[in-house]
Amino acid sequence: MREDFLHFVWRLRRFRLTELKTTTGQVIEIVHPGQHNHHAGPDFLDARIRIDGTLWAGNVEMHLRSSEWHAHKHQDDPNYNNVILHVVLEEDVIIRHTDGERIPCLDLRNYLPVGLAKQYLRLLNSEQWISCQQQLYTVPEITFNLWLDRLLVERLEERTEELAKRLDRNGGDWEETFYQSLAWGFGLKVNADPFLMLAESLPLKTLLRHKNSLPQIEALLFGQADLLEEDFTDDYPRQLQQEYRFLKQKYQLQPLSANHWKFMRMRPANFPSVRIAQWATLLFRTGQLFSKMLVAQNLREMENAFVVELSNYWQTHFRFDKASKKTTKTLGKASIHLLVINIIAPFIFLYGKKRGADIYQERALRLMEAVPAERNHILAEWKALGVNIKQAGQSQALLQLKNSYCNEKRCLDCAIGCSILKRNPDVMEEDVLYLPTWWLASAAEATSKEA
């Protein structure tokens, strides 16, 4: 058992409300439970509680054991001076305000329905892939779908936090920030960080000074990537090498180390050399990438913007000086869709949030719904449970659900978990719950770790 269970039953008043009394016998009437506080301070703010006929306005604090008040140092925090009721599962010590007055205490053990508590304990102690695996089918479809919609927004908001920090570091320059973020996406999982470092070492405005020359853009990118320091035999890399030496001096550039790049155990089409060549061609075709994404009317227009045809040299090479069978090496739709999911949609969402323009946030959500769902082991597990996943909005929401809620046992913060608990047929039975000593001990231990 965790403290969030108390928050749940108090917030929704899922306990017997008749004949409520404090541990000293005072009659309690809950006029208003207060507003759930997710920040520092008491658990519920601005509550209205009538105790022995006197209406009190203030805050409510909750613990599994009353002694946790001292364990959490609330006696030293002035934010707790206005606590009018202490809600616990066991009053093992008497708690007083700093002036010595005893804080009224409600022991919920005498009022909790057996069915609700047992259902919660089953969820909390489940060893299955998700706690509600056996009850998932009982959740109404509209509840499930609305929760996924909310989780998609939550995931986009989390994604934009780092983007917003990078935007601030770049002085509010959207194009520069998008260029760096898209570079990270271009590197895929293995070379994402080196790609970001490459973009940060070579400002977009420097590249745009050479927007009419693909060889110069490639020279800058490959040179900064430290991939032009060999004794080449092919004419093209030697040309880039010579070009970069001049540009390096001109712009006082400091290249990365070639050791950052990973080629091992990768498909040749995803070699960093090929991805950098694709990146260079994209920048050569469209310097102001973010502006183009903002005006794109649909997913197809975005896909078309990333269709790049590499130069003749790269059609017959995966690496410098190593000829191969001729291939076009265009970005596949799957790679473009990953960029849309991980970079473009979150960026458009952030733009709308910063500008106060809901149209862009809505466009980002619609964009996610237009992209096919990704494939990975987590989504495969959801499908095995019978969840139909058609588009990326759903798949991203399900990833958020698994990683941020199921793995953390946040059933009471989840609309699915709450739905299961609310629909429990035994939830309002009048029997009270017997809480064994071992259960309270384990609950206190879990709470101390969380604190």
Side-chain angles (χ1 to χ4, degrees):
M1 189 70 74
R2 301 191 305 197
E3 191 178 296
D4 58 356
F5 179 66
L6 298 185
H7 299 169
F8 172 79
V9 297
W10 179 264
R11 176 168 52 87
L12 298 179
R13 305 191 207 191
R14 307 293 287 186
F15 56 95
R16 181 162 57 84
L17 297 172
T18 57
E19 301 180 357
L20 284 177
K21 292 184 179 181
T22 68
T23 53
T24 58
Q26 296 171 296
V27 177
I28 299 174
E29 179 188 351
I30 304 171
V31 180
H32 191 283
Q35 302 298 322
H36 196 185
N37 178 29
H38 298 282
H39 305 287
D43 295 314
F44 287 83
L45 307 178
D46 302 321
R48 299 290 186 274
I49 309 292
R50 187 172 279 112
I51 302 177
D52 265 357
T54 301
L55 182 63
W56 293 84
N59 305 325
V60 175
E61 177 64 5
M62 298 185 175
H63 293 115
L64 298 178
R65 280 188 163 125
S66 61
S67 57
E68 292 170 17
W69 179 282
H70 295 301
H72 297 168
K73 307 295 184 183
H74 294 335
Q75 70 275 11
D76 301 324
D77 189 341
N79 290 318
Y80 291 84
N81 290 343
N82 197 29
V83 169
I84 58 175
L85 184 66
H86 194 195
V87 180
V88 301
L89 288 182
E90 181 188 10
E91 188 185 37
D92 56 340
V93 298
I94 295 173
I95 302 301
R96 302 180 184 276
H97 283 302
T98 53
D99 61 3
E101 183 180 358
R102 181 170 180 168
I103 300 176
C105 181
L106 171 63
D107 186 335
L108 270 183
R109 277 185 301 177
N110 299 320
Y111 307 96
L112 282 176
V114 173
L116 176 62
K118 284 183 176 179
Q119 181 71 287
Y120 173 67
L121 287 172
R122 279 195 291 268
L123 292 175
L124 188 64
N125 297 319
S126 173
E127 297 294 332
Q128 296 177 312
W129 189 70
I130 60 172
S131 295
C132 61
Q133 196 160 310
Q134 299 301 322
Q135 300 97 340
L136 188 61
Y137 71 94
T138 67
V139 178
E141 184 178 2
I142 187 170
T143 300
F144 189 82
N145 291 335
L146 287 174
W147 181 231
L148 291 189
D149 289 343
R150 178 64 190 95
L151 289 174
L152 174 58
V153 174
E154 181 179 296
R155 189 163 180 85
L156 284 170
E157 288 175 340
E158 288 184 3
R159 286 272 178 86
T160 58
E161 289 180 4
E162 182 57 37
L163 296 179
K165 292 177 183 177
R166 185 174 295 137
L167 181 65
D168 289 340
R169 291 195 296 269
N170 288 325
D173 190 328
W174 288 94
E175 289 291 349
E176 185 71 28
T177 307
F178 185 73
Y179 154 75
Q180 293 175 0
S181 303
L182 198 62
W184 182 87
F186 245 79
L188 301 177
K189 186 175 182 179
V190 176
N191 286 298
D193 290 337
F195 245 99
L196 176 59
M197 294 166 61
L198 173 59
E200 290 176 337
S201 74
L202 190 61
L204 178 62
K205 62 183 180 181
T206 300
L207 284 170
L208 292 183
R209 291 174 183 171
H210 304 273
K211 61 182 179 181
N212 297 321
S213 172
L214 178 58
Q216 289 181 337
I217 293 177
E218 285 197 7
L220 283 166
L221 288 171
F222 280 109
Q224 280 299 98
D226 199 29
L227 297 178
L228 294 177
E229 292 302 315
E230 300 179 28
D231 293 327
F232 299 113
T233 57
D234 289 351
D235 288 338
Y236 189 62
R238 292 171 66 183
Q239 175 190 342
L240 296 183
Q241 191 178 58
Q242 184 176 1
E243 189 72 53
Y244 176 69
R245 286 170 180 168
F246 168 76
L247 295 173
K248 177 184 178 182
Q249 189 69 25
K250 178 179 180 180
Y251 295 117
Q252 296 296 298
L253 298 174
Q254 183 63 41
L256 309 179
S257 169
N259 294 329
H260 289 299
W261 302 102
K262 297 178 178 63
F263 287 85
M264 296 293 292
R265 292 184 291 276
M266 294 188 68
R267 294 173 55 240
N270 290 331
F271 280 175
S273 48
V274 175
R275 303 293 286 189
I276 291 174
Q278 293 169 337
W279 182 235
T281 304
L282 180 65
L283 293 171
F284 172 66
R285 282 187 49 192
T286 309
Q288 304 291 335
L289 288 166
F290 183 56
S291 298
K292 192 164 187 174
M293 295 300 101
L294 280 180
V295 300
Q297 295 300 307
N298 49 51
L299 177 61
R300 176 166 293 183
E301 287 190 16
M302 289 186 178
E303 291 172 343
N304 292 337
F306 285 90
V307 176
V308 293
E309 185 175 347
L310 300 189
S311 62
N312 291 333
Y313 183 82
W314 287 110
Q315 290 184 26
T316 58
H317 290 78
F318 288 100
R319 300 184 70 168
F320 290 125
D321 270 2
K322 296 182 180 180
S324 63
K325 183 180 177 180
K326 185 175 181 179
T327 54
T328 55
K329 301 181 180 67
T330 58
L331 278 174
K333 275 195 175 182
S335 294
I336 297 172
H337 291 164
L338 283 177
L339 292 175
V340 172
I341 293 170
N342 295 320
I343 306 298
I344 299 173
F347 226 91
I348 294 175
F349 188 87
L350 175 64
Y351 185 81
K353 187 176 181 179
K354 288 284 189 179
R355 301 284 180 172
D358 292 343
I359 185 173
Y360 290 107
Q361 291 180 295
E362 292 170 3
R363 184 183 296 179
L365 295 173
R366 301 293 82 80
L367 187 59
M368 295 289 276
E369 293 173 355
V371 177
E374 319 95 288
R375 295 180 180 180
N376 58 47
H377 71 282
I378 293 179
L379 298 176
E381 292 283 356
W382 280 115
K383 288 182 179 180
L385 293 178
V387 180
N388 190 16
I389 312 172
K390 294 182 178 180
Q391 36 91 351
Q394 295 169 324
S395 60
Q396 287 288 295
L398 288 167
L399 291 172
Q400 183 75 3
L401 175 58
K402 172 60 176 170
N403 294 327
S404 296
Y405 290 84
C406 301
N407 290 352
E408 302 298 324
K409 297 283 188 177
R410 293 176 58 195
C411 302
L412 299 179
D413 295 325
C414 172
I416 296 170
C418 290
S419 175
I420 291 171
L421 289 171
K422 289 177 184 177
R423 288 170 60 85
N424 179 17
D426 299 326
V427 73
M428 296 310 294
E429 65 183 34
E430 292 300 320
D431 296 332
V432 297
L433 178 66
Y434 169 69
L435 299 179
T437 304
W438 67 263
W439 178 81
L440 283 170
S442 62
E445 181 182 359
T447 302
S448 65
K449 289 180 180 178
E450 290 175 7

